Amino acid sequence: DGTLIDYKVVEKNVPAGYEAKYEKDGTGKFIITNTNVEKTEVSVTKKWVGPVKDSIIVELRKVGSNDVIQEYELKASDNWTHKFTNLPKYENDGTEIEYQVVEKSVASGYISAIEGTMQDGFTITNTNVEKVEVSVTKKWVGPAKDSVIVELKKAGSDTVIQEHELKANENWSYEFTGLDKYEVDGTLIDYKVVEKNVPAGY
């Protein structure tokens, strides 16, 4: 009847993991574009060495890029774990995308370390590095001796952490410095100072 026939071209078997897009350019040439639609996921877990904060923000980025793809607020109610899902697996050129996680703002008094892989998941460990000082002064009621040795211990423990010889030329005073403020579980450390050997007659 003279009607113009409209032909189309269809890819018979689109490869698994791809989707086909059909277009026709201005000359009538058919263009079939296959785009990989495979997805991947990246998991992240937070660990604390020291007191636990309320939450942290983790950012998902491509390795070598500062562009934030997604971010998530990790909290205790999530068991400090999250999984970024439905992420493109490949770049347009077919290169597999490498993702990384970054802690947005490390809490004051902490250092952050990231371990793991995309396949096994990442672990961000925040370790408290806050320090304290403990000062001690020796007083005499009676004749002063040449010196005394004092020991620094944790309350409830007999393990000597440090010791120092107190003398008159130091005004019988000393300060133990650079001491951890918290235990690994976040408990505040209670230090004590003990005289090693009380002089005879005192």
Side-chain angles (χ1 to χ4, degrees):
D1 61 0
T3 305
L4 187 64
I5 299 173
D6 187 17
Y7 290 97
K8 66 178 181 179
V9 176
V10 178
E11 188 168 355
K12 185 174 182 181
N13 295 305
V14 178
Y18 286 81
E19 99 185 343
K21 181 181 178 184
Y22 304 98
E23 298 173 288
K24 191 189 288 188
D25 67 13
T27 66
K29 181 179 178 181
F30 289 98
I31 301 170
I32 302 174
T33 304
N34 282 38
T35 303
N36 188 283
V37 292
E38 290 182 78
K39 301 297 182 181
T40 190
E41 53 192 29
V42 175
S43 63
V44 57
T45 299
K46 179 70 179 174
K47 290 187 178 178
W48 295 94
V49 178
V52 176
K53 297 295 183 181
D54 293 335
S55 66
I56 65 152
I57 304 286
V58 288
E59 298 175 336
L60 179 73
R61 305 177 185 176
K62 292 180 184 179
V63 172
S65 171
N66 289 325
D67 295 334
V68 178
I69 299 166
Q70 292 182 40
E71 67 176 30
Y72 186 81
E73 186 178 12
L74 282 175
K75 297 176 277 197
S77 58
D78 302 320
N79 292 320
W80 296 104
T81 299
H82 178 67
K83 188 177 284 186
F84 295 98
T85 60
N86 202 35
L87 305 171
K89 189 172 183 178
Y90 297 99
E91 299 283 9
N92 290 338
D93 64 2
T95 307
E96 189 165 357
I97 300 173
E98 288 186 68
Y99 292 98
Q100 63 179 350
V101 292
V102 177
E103 187 168 359
K104 187 172 185 178
S105 298
V106 179
S108 176
Y110 286 79
I111 57 172
S112 181
I114 301 173
E115 298 178 318
T117 64
M118 273 182 55
Q119 292 72 30
D120 300 329
F122 293 100
T123 299
I124 302 175
T125 302
N126 276 33
T127 303
N128 186 280
V129 291
E130 292 179 82
K131 302 296 181 183
V132 294
E133 299 80 36
V134 174
S135 60
V136 57
T137 299
K138 179 68 179 175
K139 291 184 179 179
W140 295 96
V141 179
K145 299 296 180 179
D146 294 336
S147 67
V148 296
I149 293 176
V150 290
E151 298 173 333
L152 178 72
K153 302 178 179 181
K154 291 179 183 179
S157 170
D158 288 326
T159 302
V160 178
I161 300 167
Q162 293 182 41
E163 66 176 31
H164 182 78
E165 186 177 10
L166 290 175
K167 302 175 194 170
N169 63 6
E170 295 176 344
N171 293 318
W172 297 103
S173 293
Y174 183 71
E175 187 170 67
F176 295 97
T177 62
L179 306 172
D180 291 338
K181 187 174 182 179
Y182 297 100
E183 298 283 9
V184 171
D185 65 1
T187 306
L188 188 66
I189 299 174
D190 185 15
Y191 291 98
K192 66 180 180 180
V193 177
V194 179
E195 189 169 356
K196 188 173 184 178
N197 295 303
V198 179
Y202 287 82

